[in-house]
Amino acid sequence: MKLSTKLVMLAGVLALAACTNPDRFGADGANGGIGGTGMNGGMVPGSANDPTSVAYFQQSVGDRVLFQVDQSTLTPEGRATLDGQAAWLSQNGDYTAIIEGHADEQGTREYNLALGARRADAARAYLISQGVPSGRLRTISYGKERPIEVCSNEACYAKNRRAVTVLAGGLTG
Amino acid sequence: MIWRILVCMMAVLAWTAPTVQAQQGPLRIEITEGVIEPLPFAVPAFVAENAASGQMGQQLAQLVAADLIGTGLFREVPASAFISGVSDFNAAIQYADWKAVNAQALITGAVAVTGDQMTVKFRLYDVFSGAELGSGLQFAGTTAGWRRMGHKVADAVYSRITGESGYFDSRVVFVSETGAKADRQKRLAVMDYDGANVQYLTGSESIVLAPRFSKSGDRVLYTSYETGFPRIFVLDVGSVQRRVLESQDGTMSFAPRFHPNGQTVVYSLSQGANTDIYTLDINTGQTTRLTSAPSIETAPSYSPDGSQIVFESDRSGAPQLYVMSASGGEPTRISFGEGRYGTPVWSPRGDLVAFTKQSKGRFHIGVMRLDGSEERLLTASFLDEGPTWAPNGRVIMFTRESQGESGRATLYSVDITGRNLRPVQTPEGASDPSWGPLQN
């Protein structure tokens, strides 16, 4: 297990070095994270069944919480997801995270940037309240600039109103 | 003299429903209540004064016609109806021939091209009075800049007939958009007001948002994710040099606009969940916080004299418009209608605020007075937002985005009566226009 953790870390460092945007893994956390280099048999480090992997965080813990229209209040489901994130982050202390706040397209550009900041901060504040050191968590808002769903109705809007916890490289000091 | 005073009074009193009235008698489009009757004009091909002028005379006449028609205040008498042409710029005008085809205004011009330089002369005639309106004007410049000279002719015609300054020889900075909706690439671009001469000012490596011209048009403020986080930048239009203005760790800055003095920038800064309005001195980097409510305060815009700021805030629960002193202090709410109000922009004339309104699932561009009275919605669509004023305060350009998977952003303009809605042609998708000044 220790070896595989080190391998994950090594893969993380390599991914960082190869990435043009060095602070993040995967685009919007949707691409399944870093791939593990193959090992014979058993769990593949870095894959979704490695509980220390970014992919596991994204897929099994859940990297995002969703919000109601115009709201930045966490839902019970959102808090449950963040509980899982907080637990994962405390067990995987070498990761920092950037929490991305997003809005759906119903709103002006400026207001949605501010609304995205509120959503990201709501998730960050909750993670801090669950024991994640504040220094490991930054926030950014993309407003309505980065939708993941492109239809113009509530089915898509609901998925776009989100705060996504994007894992980043190791602590810097 | 009495006529002039009356005209001024009517202009002041009648902004609420400025409409066009073509008048018999003096050549004049008045902004007053009445029936819309676009004023018919004729613009024969400008006389080519030498062989090198080639098709330039025809192109100039077409450009002048397009500018005037585009206002919705004029209509063109087609060349096929002309009884007599204009082959000599200095020859006497055959008024009867133009009267017969019902051209109230006649625009004549001449062009001479020498190498890469050209001169353009023009005259404007009031056909029914049988007299020249104003005196002839001459412009000189490069052939590459021929469109600017055509716009200057059209501005002079518009100005002489309406009594208002024109807006054709102006540029618009905007965000050019390509790519699918979920992977939109954005870069800053500048173009002539009519969509011609697009030049790109940045690459599309990072998201760029909401560029805003300085009053003189020499610089642009905008928001970029170039550093990884949203930050306000200033860009010199001539050199295309840019620099970040504000980069306080753990914050985001956006929605910048210039003070009319060109030195102070007002913008929004988000810290944690809270977004407030700040100013920054562009030379010293000194920042001043103007609002401190826990709500969202954003989209600030100065009054033309720089003494006040209109902005949007959701302190009442939903975004509404407020006005405060340029030094901060208690704001006054000005919007009270049903719905959500955003992106207020103070008219260059000082009399109105243009805004985005979201109501019952639709978006509108609207205008209201500074005390919130006389709200008027000019447009309605799935998503209209981000108005910007023409330099004369009579026309508004904005972003319209179509819905769904293939949704695309385009620019539209509309006059402040809500009439004459028309798309602005751009080579790619386009959003966030900011209309610059009339050029010198």
Side-chain angles (χ1 to χ4, degrees):
Chain A
M1 192 58 187
K2 273 183 183 169
L3 176 63
S4 69
T5 304
K6 280 179 184 167
L7 281 171
V8 167
M9 290 307 298
L10 177 61
V13 170
L14 289 172
L16 270 175
C19 195
T20 52
N21 185 354
D23 284 340
R24 46 187 292 171
F25 287 104
D28 198 23
N31 291 344
I34 56 174
T37 48
M39 284 181 72
N40 292 330
M43 184 190 67
V44 179
S47 73
N49 56 6
D50 171 358
T52 66
S53 72
V54 173
Y56 181 89
F57 178 83
Q58 290 169 342
Q59 293 165 32
S60 298
V61 177
D63 65 351
R64 64 197 58 203
V65 296
L66 304 180
F67 295 86
Q68 300 298 306
V69 179
D70 294 329
Q71 296 301 309
S72 54
T73 309
L74 295 167
T75 63
E77 298 79 12
R79 283 195 294 274
T81 301
L82 291 170
D83 285 337
Q85 290 186 9
W88 191 93
L89 284 165
S90 64
Q91 285 158 21
N92 296 275
D94 289 329
Y95 286 98
T96 62
I98 296 177
I99 303 163
E100 301 178 346
H102 297 269
D104 65 35
E105 67 189 350
Q106 309 169 93
T108 61
R109 209 175 302 291
E110 292 87 347
Y111 187 81
N112 278 347
L113 278 175
L115 181 59
R118 262 188 192 160
R119 287 174 175 159
D121 189 73
R124 179 176 185 266
Y126 188 84
L127 289 173
I128 292 169
S129 77
Q130 298 306 303
V132 181
S134 61
R136 292 173 63 192
L137 302 170
R138 298 188 71 175
T139 59
I140 186 172
S141 174
Y142 286 93
K144 60 175 172 178
E145 302 306 315
R146 287 287 178 261
I148 48 168
E149 299 290 337
V150 293
C151 72
S152 292
N153 58 49
E154 179 56 24
C156 289
Y157 294 162
K159 292 178 185 164
N160 288 334
R161 292 188 302 263
R162 67 201 193 276
V164 183
T165 305
V166 179
L167 297 175
L171 289 167
T172 55
Chain B
M1 188 49 110
I2 288 172
W3 171 248
R4 184 165 291 278
I5 291 168
L6 277 174
V7 163
C8 290
M9 285 179 61
M10 288 164 84
V12 170
L13 292 173
W15 73 266
T16 47
T19 55
V20 180
Q21 215 166 31
Q23 302 181 357
Q24 301 293 326
L27 183 62
R28 187 82 175 175
I29 288 180
E30 199 44 66
I31 291 173
T32 180
E33 304 214 25
V35 183
I36 291 201
E37 182 58 51
L39 187 143
F41 69 93
V43 55
F46 285 17
V47 177
E49 295 198 315
N50 56 18
S53 301
Q55 294 303 302
M56 196 60 92
Q58 186 66 40
Q59 291 174 34
L60 282 164
Q62 285 170 355
L63 183 66
V64 170
D67 280 346
L68 294 175
I69 294 165
T71 65
L73 306 180
F74 299 87
R75 70 179 167 83
E76 185 181 19
V77 176
S80 57
F82 293 175
I83 295 167
S84 61
V86 174
S87 53
D88 178 353
F89 181 65
N90 293 313
I93 297 298
Q94 303 301 311
Y95 288 110
D97 289 352
W98 299 105
K99 218 178 272 186
V101 297
N102 195 34
Q104 282 187 254
L106 171 67
I107 301 151
T108 67
V111 56
V113 173
T114 311
D116 63 355
Q117 299 293 310
M118 63 188 279
T119 56
V120 174
K121 295 183 277 194
F122 95 98
R123 289 195 176 116
L124 172 63
Y125 297 94
D126 177 345
V127 172
F128 285 81
S129 301
E132 190 172 351
L133 187 65
S135 2
L137 278 181
Q138 178 167 318
F139 304 108
T142 63
T143 51
W146 73 271
R147 293 183 71 90
R148 282 200 60 193
M149 279 181 275
H151 290 319
K152 282 186 177 300
V153 170
D155 276 324
V157 171
Y158 177 95
S159 180
R160 287 176 188 185
I161 295 179
T162 66
E164 314 242 341
S165 62
Y167 57 89
F168 309 122
D169 183 24
S170 61
R171 307 207 82 195
V172 173
V173 63
F174 65 104
V175 173
S176 184
E177 302 192 359
T178 54
K181 191 171 176 179
D183 184 29
R184 193 104 336 139
Q185 309 295 305
K186 296 190 168 195
R187 53 182 168 164
L188 292 193
V190 64
M191 65 183 185
D192 296 351
Y193 98 100
D194 58 3
N197 291 323
V198 172
Q199 291 171 265
Y200 297 100
L201 302 176
T202 69
S204 55
E205 303 80 22
S206 317
I207 301 172
V208 288
L209 304 173
R212 309 293 184 203
F213 261 129
S214 61
K215 189 179 173 187
S216 63
D218 61 338
R219 288 164 298 155
V220 169
L221 290 169
Y222 64 104
T223 304
S224 171
Y225 283 66
E226 188 175 328
T227 65
F229 290 85
R231 299 286 181 214
I232 57 173
F233 280 70
V234 64
L235 178 143
D236 182 276
V237 177
S239 67
V240 202
Q241 294 293 308
R242 63 185 191 275
R243 70 182 169 94
V244 67
L245 286 176
E246 196 287 326
S247 55
Q248 197 187 327
D249 203 38
T251 69
M252 311 189 320
S253 55
F254 57 99
R257 266 185 209 276
F258 278 106
H259 186 281
N261 69 16
Q263 298 305 312
T264 308
V265 173
V266 66
Y267 64 102
S268 276
L269 185 106
S270 291
Q271 202 154 18
N274 189 19
T275 300
D276 274 304
I277 292 172
Y278 290 69
T279 58
L280 177 148
D281 183 299
I282 209 163
N283 292 326
T284 65
Q286 174 84 36
T287 61
T288 307
R289 185 174 187 166
L290 298 187
T291 65
S292 55
S295 45
I296 289 172
E297 276 72 39
T298 189
S301 168
Y302 280 105
S303 59
D305 68 1
S307 69
Q308 291 175 282
I309 294 169
V310 62
F311 64 98
E312 90 181 72
S313 167
D314 67 356
R315 62 186 62 193
S316 73
Q320 297 286 343
L321 307 185
Y322 294 78
V323 173
M324 67 178 173
S325 161
S327 55
E330 194 56 36
T332 305
R333 180 171 165 179
I334 64 167
S335 65
F336 292 93
E338 193 186 334
R340 302 156 63 85
Y341 294 80
T343 69
V345 192
W346 213 301
S347 153
R349 308 165 75 95
D351 55 348
L352 298 172
V353 168
F355 54 83
T356 305
K357 181 174 182 175
Q358 192 183 351
S359 177
K360 299 179 178 123
R362 302 275 284 171
F363 279 77
H364 308 270
I365 302 297
V367 292
M368 63 170 67
R369 286 192 176 279
L370 265 300
D371 61 3
S373 66
E374 302 183 46
E375 174 178 330
R376 188 167 66 247
L377 300 182
L378 309 179
T379 74
S381 90
F382 165 71
L383 210 179
D384 287 348
E385 72 170 297
T388 182
W389 290 94
N392 73 354
R394 290 298 183 197
V395 180
I396 288 167
M397 197 180 289
F398 60 96
T399 307
R400 172 166 287 183
E401 187 136 359
S402 54
Q403 62 182 309
E405 200 170 333
S406 60
R408 184 171 188 269
T410 47
L411 303 184
Y412 275 76
S413 67
V414 66
D415 70 32
I416 59 167
T417 65
R419 295 194 181 87
N420 199 35
L421 175 73
R422 50 177 66 220
V424 179
Q425 300 301 331
T426 51
E428 299 161 333
S431 62
D432 295 1
S434 170
W435 209 320
L438 202 56
Q439 301 186 91
N440 291 319

mmCIF file of all heavy atoms in Angstrom, chain A residues 144-173:
data_model
loop_
_atom_site.group_PDB
_atom_site.id
_atom_site.type_symbol
_atom_site.label_atom_id
_atom_site.label_comp_id
_atom_site.label_asym_id
_atom_site.label_seq_id
_atom_site.Cartn_x
_atom_site.Cartn_y
_atom_site.Cartn_z
ATOM 1 N N LYS A 144 -20.611 31.540 -15.685
ATOM 2 C CA LYS A 144 -21.291 30.667 -16.661
ATOM 3 C C LYS A 144 -20.371 30.321 -17.829
ATOM 4 O O LYS A 144 -20.843 29.904 -18.880
ATOM 5 C CB LYS A 144 -22.571 31.329 -17.152
ATOM 6 C CG LYS A 144 -22.402 32.666 -17.851
ATOM 7 C CD LYS A 144 -23.752 33.141 -18.390
ATOM 8 C CE LYS A 144 -23.685 34.560 -18.923
ATOM 9 N NZ LYS A 144 -24.964 35.004 -19.488
ATOM 10 N N GLU A 145 -19.063 30.501 -17.633
ATOM 11 C CA GLU A 145 -18.126 30.348 -18.754
ATOM 12 C C GLU A 145 -17.788 28.901 -19.084
ATOM 13 O O GLU A 145 -17.277 28.615 -20.161
ATOM 14 C CB GLU A 145 -16.827 31.100 -18.447
ATOM 15 C CG GLU A 145 -17.014 32.573 -18.166
ATOM 16 C CD GLU A 145 -17.758 33.288 -19.270
ATOM 17 O OE1 GLU A 145 -17.432 33.052 -20.444
ATOM 18 O OE2 GLU A 145 -18.683 34.060 -18.958
ATOM 19 N N ARG A 146 -18.011 27.982 -18.166
ATOM 20 C CA ARG A 146 -17.598 26.595 -18.387
ATOM 21 C C ARG A 146 -18.719 25.607 -18.079
ATOM 22 O O ARG A 146 -18.622 24.817 -17.138
ATOM 23 C CB ARG A 146 -16.360 26.276 -17.531
ATOM 24 C CG ARG A 146 -15.069 26.926 -18.022
ATOM 25 C CD ARG A 146 -14.581 26.237 -19.280
ATOM 26 N NE ARG A 146 -13.383 26.835 -19.836
ATOM 27 C CZ ARG A 146 -13.393 27.705 -20.855
ATOM 28 N NH1 ARG A 146 -14.529 28.106 -21.384
ATOM 29 N NH2 ARG A 146 -12.271 28.181 -21.337
ATOM 30 N N PRO A 147 -19.790 25.651 -18.877
ATOM 31 C CA PRO A 147 -20.855 24.669 -18.636
ATOM 32 C C PRO A 147 -20.365 23.263 -18.983
ATOM 33 O O PRO A 147 -19.523 23.100 -19.872
ATOM 34 C CB PRO A 147 -21.954 25.116 -19.609
ATOM 35 C CG PRO A 147 -21.221 25.812 -20.709
ATOM 36 C CD PRO A 147 -20.039 26.480 -20.056
ATOM 37 N N ILE A 148 -20.860 22.253 -18.277
ATOM 38 C CA ILE A 148 -20.541 20.878 -18.693
ATOM 39 C C ILE A 148 -21.703 20.294 -19.480
ATOM 40 O O ILE A 148 -21.536 19.360 -20.240
ATOM 41 C CB ILE A 148 -20.201 19.962 -17.495
ATOM 42 C CG1 ILE A 148 -21.230 20.111 -16.393
ATOM 43 C CG2 ILE A 148 -18.807 20.235 -16.992
ATOM 44 C CD1 ILE A 148 -21.119 19.040 -15.341
ATOM 45 N N GLU A 149 -22.892 20.858 -19.275
ATOM 46 C CA GLU A 149 -24.056 20.422 -20.041
ATOM 47 C C GLU A 149 -24.512 21.610 -20.864
ATOM 48 O O GLU A 149 -24.504 22.744 -20.395
ATOM 49 C CB GLU A 149 -25.180 19.975 -19.099
ATOM 50 C CG GLU A 149 -24.796 18.789 -18.218
ATOM 51 C CD GLU A 149 -24.652 17.490 -18.997
ATOM 52 O OE1 GLU A 149 -25.248 17.383 -20.087
ATOM 53 O OE2 GLU A 149 -23.935 16.594 -18.520
ATOM 54 N N VAL A 150 -24.935 21.352 -22.116
ATOM 55 C CA VAL A 150 -25.142 22.472 -23.031
ATOM 56 C C VAL A 150 -26.599 22.695 -23.453
ATOM 57 O O VAL A 150 -26.881 23.599 -24.218
ATOM 58 C CB VAL A 150 -24.275 22.326 -24.300
ATOM 59 C CG1 VAL A 150 -22.811 22.458 -23.934
ATOM 60 C CG2 VAL A 150 -24.547 21.019 -25.006
ATOM 61 N N CYS A 151 -27.522 21.876 -22.955
ATOM 62 C CA CYS A 151 -28.910 22.153 -23.311
ATOM 63 C C CYS A 151 -29.384 23.364 -22.509
ATOM 64 O O CYS A 151 -28.761 23.759 -21.537
ATOM 65 C CB CYS A 151 -29.806 20.943 -23.074
ATOM 66 S SG CYS A 151 -30.144 20.531 -21.356
ATOM 67 N N SER A 152 -30.459 23.972 -22.968
ATOM 68 C CA SER A 152 -30.948 25.168 -22.294
ATOM 69 C C SER A 152 -32.226 24.865 -21.540
ATOM 70 O O SER A 152 -33.265 25.477 -21.773
ATOM 71 C CB SER A 152 -31.159 26.294 -23.309
ATOM 72 O OG SER A 152 -29.920 26.725 -23.815
ATOM 73 N N ASN A 153 -32.167 23.878 -20.653
ATOM 74 C CA ASN A 153 -33.295 23.646 -19.766
ATOM 75 C C ASN A 153 -32.794 23.136 -18.421
ATOM 76 O O ASN A 153 -31.602 22.914 -18.235
ATOM 77 C CB ASN A 153 -34.321 22.690 -20.397
ATOM 78 C CG ASN A 153 -33.689 21.362 -20.751
ATOM 79 O OD1 ASN A 153 -32.994 20.763 -19.933
ATOM 80 N ND2 ASN A 153 -33.907 20.904 -21.979
ATOM 81 N N GLU A 154 -33.725 22.966 -17.505
ATOM 82 C CA GLU A 154 -33.349 22.707 -16.119
ATOM 83 C C GLU A 154 -32.502 21.448 -15.958
ATOM 84 O O GLU A 154 -31.632 21.383 -15.079
ATOM 85 C CB GLU A 154 -34.608 22.658 -15.240
ATOM 86 C CG GLU A 154 -34.374 22.364 -13.778
ATOM 87 C CD GLU A 154 -33.401 23.319 -13.091
ATOM 88 O OE1 GLU A 154 -33.235 24.470 -13.559
ATOM 89 O OE2 GLU A 154 -32.796 22.888 -12.087
ATOM 90 N N ALA A 155 -32.720 20.442 -16.816
ATOM 91 C CA ALA A 155 -31.936 19.203 -16.696
ATOM 92 C C ALA A 155 -30.446 19.520 -16.786
ATOM 93 O O ALA A 155 -29.624 18.940 -16.060
ATOM 94 C CB ALA A 155 -32.344 18.221 -17.793
ATOM 95 N N CYS A 156 -30.096 20.408 -17.683
ATOM 96 C CA CYS A 156 -28.694 20.801 -17.833
ATOM 97 C C CYS A 156 -28.295 21.851 -16.794
ATOM 98 O O CYS A 156 -27.212 21.779 -16.201
ATOM 99 C CB CYS A 156 -28.434 21.352 -19.234
ATOM 100 S SG CYS A 156 -28.488 20.080 -20.500
ATOM 101 N N TYR A 157 -29.172 22.819 -16.600
ATOM 102 C CA TYR A 157 -28.838 23.878 -15.650
ATOM 103 C C TYR A 157 -28.488 23.313 -14.277
ATOM 104 O O TYR A 157 -27.570 23.775 -13.616
ATOM 105 C CB TYR A 157 -30.015 24.856 -15.507
ATOM 106 C CG TYR A 157 -30.328 25.659 -16.745
ATOM 107 C CD1 TYR A 157 -31.554 26.293 -16.885
ATOM 108 C CD2 TYR A 157 -29.395 25.802 -17.773
ATOM 109 C CE1 TYR A 157 -31.855 27.043 -18.006
ATOM 110 C CE2 TYR A 157 -29.686 26.544 -18.903
ATOM 111 C CZ TYR A 157 -30.931 27.158 -19.021
ATOM 112 O OH TYR A 157 -31.218 27.902 -20.128
ATOM 113 N N ALA A 158 -29.251 22.298 -13.865
ATOM 114 C CA ALA A 158 -29.049 21.726 -12.527
ATOM 115 C C ALA A 158 -27.633 21.168 -12.378
ATOM 116 O O ALA A 158 -27.036 21.239 -11.299
ATOM 117 C CB ALA A 158 -30.080 20.634 -12.266
ATOM 118 N N LYS A 159 -27.095 20.610 -13.468
ATOM 119 C CA LYS A 159 -25.738 20.056 -13.404
ATOM 120 C C LYS A 159 -24.668 21.136 -13.522
ATOM 121 O O LYS A 159 -23.529 20.948 -13.095
ATOM 122 C CB LYS A 159 -25.553 19.014 -14.510
ATOM 123 C CG LYS A 159 -26.386 17.765 -14.279
ATOM 124 C CD LYS A 159 -26.220 16.790 -15.423
ATOM 125 C CE LYS A 159 -27.161 15.602 -15.214
ATOM 126 N NZ LYS A 159 -27.322 14.821 -16.436
ATOM 127 N N ASN A 160 -25.031 22.249 -14.120
ATOM 128 C CA ASN A 160 -24.058 23.340 -14.281
ATOM 129 C C ASN A 160 -23.912 24.199 -13.027
ATOM 130 O O ASN A 160 -22.883 24.830 -12.834
ATOM 131 C CB ASN A 160 -24.438 24.209 -15.475
ATOM 132 C CG ASN A 160 -24.180 23.497 -16.796
ATOM 133 O OD1 ASN A 160 -23.312 22.618 -16.866
ATOM 134 N ND2 ASN A 160 -24.921 23.865 -17.835
ATOM 135 N N ARG A 161 -24.949 24.218 -12.182
ATOM 136 C CA ARG A 161 -24.868 24.999 -10.942
ATOM 137 C C ARG A 161 -24.109 24.182 -9.909
ATOM 138 O O ARG A 161 -24.687 23.461 -9.112
ATOM 139 C CB ARG A 161 -26.280 25.300 -10.417
ATOM 140 C CG ARG A 161 -27.070 26.255 -11.290
ATOM 141 C CD ARG A 161 -28.373 26.658 -10.612
ATOM 142 N NE ARG A 161 -29.222 25.538 -10.294
ATOM 143 C CZ ARG A 161 -30.246 25.131 -11.064
ATOM 144 N NH1 ARG A 161 -30.534 25.751 -12.184
ATOM 145 N NH2 ARG A 161 -30.978 24.112 -10.682
ATOM 146 N N ARG A 162 -22.790 24.285 -9.928
ATOM 147 C CA ARG A 162 -21.989 23.316 -9.186
ATOM 148 C C ARG A 162 -20.758 23.941 -8.560
ATOM 149 O O ARG A 162 -20.293 25.000 -8.995
ATOM 150 C CB ARG A 162 -21.542 22.202 -10.145
ATOM 151 C CG ARG A 162 -20.569 22.680 -11.208
ATOM 152 C CD ARG A 162 -20.550 21.737 -12.413
ATOM 153 N NE ARG A 162 -19.428 21.990 -13.313
ATOM 154 C CZ ARG A 162 -19.437 22.919 -14.286
ATOM 155 N NH1 ARG A 162 -20.470 23.702 -14.470
ATOM 156 N NH2 ARG A 162 -18.378 23.075 -15.049
ATOM 157 N N ALA A 163 -20.246 23.264 -7.565
ATOM 158 C CA ALA A 163 -18.913 23.567 -7.031
ATOM 159 C C ALA A 163 -18.126 22.271 -7.130
ATOM 160 O O ALA A 163 -18.529 21.246 -6.580
ATOM 161 C CB ALA A 163 -18.992 24.055 -5.591
ATOM 162 N N VAL A 164 -17.030 22.319 -7.868
ATOM 163 C CA VAL A 164 -16.240 21.123 -8.135
ATOM 164 C C VAL A 164 -14.903 21.228 -7.405
ATOM 165 O O VAL A 164 -14.191 22.225 -7.553
ATOM 166 C CB VAL A 164 -15.986 20.959 -9.652
ATOM 167 C CG1 VAL A 164 -15.215 19.671 -9.928
ATOM 168 C CG2 VAL A 164 -17.302 20.971 -10.412
ATOM 169 N N THR A 165 -14.601 20.214 -6.620
ATOM 170 C CA THR A 165 -13.326 20.194 -5.913
ATOM 171 C C THR A 165 -12.287 19.525 -6.812
ATOM 172 O O THR A 165 -12.363 18.328 -7.072
ATOM 173 C CB THR A 165 -13.465 19.429 -4.585
ATOM 174 O OG1 THR A 165 -14.530 20.029 -3.825
ATOM 175 C CG2 THR A 165 -12.177 19.471 -3.791
ATOM 176 N N VAL A 166 -11.378 20.332 -7.316
ATOM 177 C CA VAL A 166 -10.366 19.835 -8.246
ATOM 178 C C VAL A 166 -9.056 19.680 -7.491
ATOM 179 O O VAL A 166 -8.502 20.654 -6.976
ATOM 180 C CB VAL A 166 -10.195 20.808 -9.435
ATOM 181 C CG1 VAL A 166 -9.116 20.297 -10.391
ATOM 182 C CG2 VAL A 166 -11.518 20.979 -10.171
ATOM 183 N N LEU A 167 -8.590 18.425 -7.411
ATOM 184 C CA LEU A 167 -7.363 18.162 -6.662
ATOM 185 C C LEU A 167 -6.163 18.702 -7.416
ATOM 186 O O LEU A 167 -6.094 18.641 -8.645
ATOM 187 C CB LEU A 167 -7.201 16.670 -6.437
ATOM 188 C CG LEU A 167 -8.306 16.036 -5.587
ATOM 189 C CD1 LEU A 167 -8.103 14.522 -5.522
ATOM 190 C CD2 LEU A 167 -8.339 16.638 -4.189
ATOM 191 N N ALA A 168 -5.245 19.223 -6.646
ATOM 192 C CA ALA A 168 -4.027 19.763 -7.251
ATOM 193 C C ALA A 168 -2.826 19.108 -6.584
ATOM 194 O O ALA A 168 -2.960 18.283 -5.688
ATOM 195 C CB ALA A 168 -3.997 21.271 -7.091
ATOM 196 N N GLY A 169 -1.677 19.528 -7.027
ATOM 197 C CA GLY A 169 -0.432 18.893 -6.609
ATOM 198 C C GLY A 169 -0.175 19.018 -5.122
ATOM 199 O O GLY A 169 -0.957 19.575 -4.369
ATOM 200 N N GLY A 170 0.937 18.472 -4.711
ATOM 201 C CA GLY A 170 1.286 18.404 -3.301
ATOM 202 C C GLY A 170 1.430 19.772 -2.664
ATOM 203 O O GLY A 170 1.505 20.790 -3.333
ATOM 204 N N LEU A 171 1.465 19.766 -1.366
ATOM 205 C CA LEU A 171 1.619 21.013 -0.625
ATOM 206 C C LEU A 171 2.943 21.667 -0.995
ATOM 207 O O LEU A 171 3.946 21.013 -1.192
ATOM 208 C CB LEU A 171 1.588 20.731 0.882
ATOM 209 C CG LEU A 171 0.229 20.326 1.429
ATOM 210 C CD1 LEU A 171 0.402 19.782 2.840
ATOM 211 C CD2 LEU A 171 -0.723 21.499 1.419
ATOM 212 N N THR A 172 2.904 22.952 -1.043
ATOM 213 C CA THR A 172 4.103 23.688 -1.453
ATOM 214 C C THR A 172 4.788 24.276 -0.235
ATOM 215 O O THR A 172 4.923 25.464 -0.118
ATOM 216 C CB THR A 172 3.726 24.827 -2.411
ATOM 217 O OG1 THR A 172 2.742 25.632 -1.758
ATOM 218 C CG2 THR A 172 3.180 24.296 -3.715
ATOM 219 N N GLY A 173 5.168 23.477 0.695
ATOM 220 C CA GLY A 173 5.902 24.082 1.809
ATOM 221 C C GLY A 173 5.224 23.831 3.126
ATOM 222 O O GLY A 173 4.444 22.942 3.274
#
